[in-house]
Amino acid sequence: DTFTAAFIDCDIVLVEGDTQTDSLKLEVWRAANDTPPIADSISNVCAIVTDDPIDRYHPVLARADVTSIADFILYSSRHQK
């Protein structure tokens, strides 16, 4: 809510590190970090971006596939409500 006025005319705002709001999340996950995905602990992760094998019910997007990631973000933002 603090930044709402600054982004009032924006169609999409991407925020890194937001785990506290109810907004949809796109998690970038790496097995090498040796931590579980945050998708295991919060419910509003809508997809996981990773090149590592992962068994989750979320859509998994390849890190290098920027077009698919952008398409997913645009699709999700249009169908969120």
Side-chain angles (χ1 to χ4, degrees):
D1 291 336
T2 305
F3 300 106
T4 302
F7 299 110
I8 198 78
D9 293 327
C10 296
D11 293 326
I12 297 174
V13 176
L14 301 178
V15 178
E16 181 181 0
D18 172 25
T19 60
Q20 303 302 311
T21 68
D22 292 335
S23 300
L24 290 178
K25 315 278 185 251
L26 183 71
E27 178 175 7
V28 179
W29 181 78
R30 291 184 178 153
N33 290 342
D34 200 31
T35 58
I38 63 167
D40 290 349
S41 59
I42 62 174
S43 62
N44 50 345
V45 172
C46 60
I48 299 174
V49 177
T50 188
D51 288 332
D52 298 309
I54 188 167
D55 184 24
R56 295 294 187 283
Y57 62 88
H58 301 84
V60 176
L61 306 167
R63 289 173 46 89
D65 193 352
V66 177
T67 300
S68 290
I69 295 169
D71 287 345
F72 186 86
I73 292 169
L74 291 172
Y75 178 84
S76 297
S77 69
R78 292 179 185 133
H79 295 88
Q80 179 178 1
K81 300 174 186 195

